[in-house]
Amino acid sequence: MLVWWKSRRRTPSRAPEGPVGEAVCGGMAPDAGPPAPPAHREGAGTGPVDPAQAEAFLRLFHAENPSAGPLQPRLREVTSQIARYGTYTHTPEELVFGARVAWRNSNRCIGRLYWRSLRVRDRRSVHTAEGVAGECVRHLREATGDGRVRPTITVFDQDRPGRPGPRILNEQLIRYAGYVGPQGEAVAGDARNAALTATARRLGWPGGPGTDFDVLPLVIEAGDRSPLLAAIPGDAVLEVPLEHPAYPWFADLGLRWHAVPAISGMCLEIGGVCYPCAPFNGWYMGTEIGARNLADEDRYNRLGVVAERLGLDTSSDRTLWKDHALVELNVAVLHSFTRAGVTITDHHTEARRFMAHLEREERSGRVCPADWSWIVPPLSGSLTPVFHRYYDDVHLSPAFVHHPRKTDDGH
């Protein structure tokens, strides 16, 4: 079954007055590099919950939430549910806490200072692919607002023994198609998404106009039915056309990017329970767009054209033309989002805020896990305070973990 929603895409009409608000890193993993290898879980709905993991989470929840009541009755209740059903059900309060702490524990995200502000949409009662699609669109609209992006997560049904929960195959709710030629060469769009684009075409998507920024439909699995294709309405996709404050020609490049980095290809793991469909977003740090998405050779690879328009000497790497072009590309991203009134942060500000978060966690007696290679920004890393120290790169729970990836034959 195909679900098609049609509407014009949103673009900011003018910049509202005043600041865009506080900033938080949004595209934690998928936009910053290749996906991590599959985490420890063996697969969706394959086995019972480990009672020890459930107990560890409940002890954490009650330790940080004294008003939750006595621990032991809740432990007995959960132990009984696991013994009978192989899993257990989190209370709404446990779900909210678990989702927020999963963000707090995300060792690849620099923007965790705001983990307590995460808005949790409990949609565990939604089981159908059509229902998931509708709630994902509502998620985008609510998280986007008028451009003041709000950190949001929507949590759907959990995995159960022999009965996996729903799943979104897209890495993010908003992804641009990647079109390739007969020899596999990139033709248009985001080359990273060529495989997902091919999957959508096999499932019946006719393709978009063939531009560099065609929004892919969601590919949703639920129950035993065939995957559902759900086109995202244009009015749920706020996009920012990119321009430069000093170079009028930059707008002629036709570059743009969407406002909300909503990660949708990761599992929210809380106390041994996996929620395989839990799209969540913060907001963008400029370098995610300007230094990776638009600059990486296997993505949009736009440094060459920017350097050409700047009149740079590209005959040798020693001229540092790539560095010059990269800075101007990032200037354009920050300028354009700010002028459009769309929330974004820069890597210098966010690095300082991460250090504040780190100090706050250490004062609370908690470990703050961090992967140095991801926390240090991909532009001017040594100019930021996060560069000049090491971190505890440990894996804590609750957490966001990557799904084991399926092969083309479905295994």
Side-chain angles (χ1 to χ4, degrees):
M1 177 179 180
L2 298 179
V3 175
W4 298 105
W5 291 302
K6 296 182 179 179
S7 178
R8 300 193 63 169
R9 232 172 281 169
R10 294 167 59 189
T11 55
S13 57
R14 66 178 183 88
E17 298 297 327
V20 298
E22 293 183 318
V24 64
C25 142
M28 284 198 312
D31 265 359
H40 59 274
R41 60 187 293 264
E42 296 179 356
T46 58
V49 169
D50 182 351
Q53 293 182 6
E55 180 176 346
F57 168 70
L58 291 174
R59 290 189 179 279
L60 177 67
F61 172 73
H62 282 261
E64 296 194 27
N65 296 273
S67 62
L71 170 63
Q72 291 304 319
R74 179 58 177 153
L75 272 178
R76 289 193 293 269
E77 179 183 20
V78 167
T79 300
S80 176
Q81 288 182 15
I82 294 174
R84 183 173 182 182
Y85 303 110
T87 189
Y88 66 104
T89 302
H90 291 120
T91 66
E93 295 77 16
E94 290 167 355
L95 182 72
V96 170
F97 174 77
R100 289 173 175 170
V101 173
W103 187 10
R104 186 177 81 190
N105 289 338
S106 297
N107 64 343
R108 293 180 169 183
C109 180
I110 196 174
R112 286 173 273 165
L113 180 61
Y114 314 102
W115 66 273
R116 294 182 187 274
S117 70
L118 180 66
R119 178 174 177 245
V120 181
R121 303 175 73 244
D122 185 349
R123 298 297 185 269
R124 289 177 288 176
S125 61
V126 177
H127 304 286
T128 67
E130 291 85 355
V132 169
E135 286 297 335
C136 286
V137 171
R138 295 184 187 95
H139 175 126
L140 286 173
R141 287 174 173 149
E142 293 175 15
T144 303
D146 61 357
R148 297 173 185 266
V149 180
R150 181 175 183 180
T152 302
I153 184 170
T154 300
V155 184
F156 295 100
D157 196 19
Q158 68 193 65
D159 279 349
R160 304 175 189 275
R163 198 180 82 192
R167 181 171 171 177
I168 299 171
L169 301 190
N170 310 57
E171 285 183 333
Q172 293 194 19
L173 295 183
I174 303 171
R175 273 307 203 200
Y176 295 122
Y179 301 104
V180 296
Q183 305 302 320
E185 71 278 11
V187 174
D190 192 343
R192 179 184 178 89
N193 301 322
L196 179 61
T197 303
T199 296
R201 296 296 294 268
R202 287 197 301 270
L203 292 173
W205 184 53
T211 74
D212 282 326
F213 302 100
D214 294 351
V215 176
L216 282 164
L218 297 175
V219 184
I220 304 170
E221 294 179 341
D224 297 327
R225 298 177 59 185
S226 299
L228 175 79
L229 287 180
I232 302 175
D235 64 352
V237 182
L238 177 61
E239 294 182 294
V240 179
L242 301 186
E243 57 185 38
H244 194 284
Y247 303 116
W249 53 259
F250 196 98
D252 298 334
L253 300 180
L255 300 178
R256 60 197 306 117
W257 206 259
H258 58 89
V260 180
I263 313 301
S264 55
M266 299 182 78
C267 165
L268 170 62
E269 183 273 314
I270 303 175
V273 173
C274 172
Y275 297 94
C277 189
F280 65 97
N281 72 274
W283 52 66
Y284 272 117
M285 188 164 71
T287 53
E288 295 177 85
I289 302 170
R292 301 306 307 271
N293 301 349
L294 296 176
D296 283 356
E297 291 184 358
D298 62 347
R299 299 294 297 282
Y300 281 84
N301 194 24
R302 289 300 196 268
L303 287 186
V305 68
V306 172
E308 179 183 357
R309 297 298 296 269
L310 287 169
L312 302 180
D313 177 4
T314 61
S315 63
S316 169
D317 288 342
R318 292 174 67 89
T319 67
L320 301 186
W321 67 268
K322 292 180 182 179
D323 308 71
H324 189 163
L326 188 66
V327 169
E328 298 301 345
L329 184 53
N330 279 269
V331 167
V333 170
L334 292 172
H335 165 78
S336 301
F337 271 67
T338 302
R339 185 178 183 188
V342 176
T343 308
I344 198 167
T345 183
D346 67 89
H347 52 292
H348 295 287
T349 299
E350 210 55 47
R352 291 193 297 270
R353 287 172 171 164
F354 178 76
M355 297 306 296
H357 167 71
L358 181 67
E359 293 169 3
R360 182 181 297 178
E361 290 299 291
E362 290 175 344
R363 287 197 304 269
S364 299
R366 292 191 290 261
V367 173
C368 180
D371 182 336
W372 188 95
S373 65
W374 289 71
I375 294 300
V376 174
L379 176 67
S380 304
S382 64
L383 299 181
T384 65
V386 295
F387 178 89
H388 300 281
R389 60 160 292 168
Y390 293 104
Y391 304 94
D392 294 313
D393 189 12
V394 296
H395 297 277
L396 304 178
S397 179
F400 293 104
V401 300
H402 280 279
H403 295 292
R405 293 192 175 276
K406 291 185 176 182
T407 60
D408 288 340
D409 61 4
H411 295 90

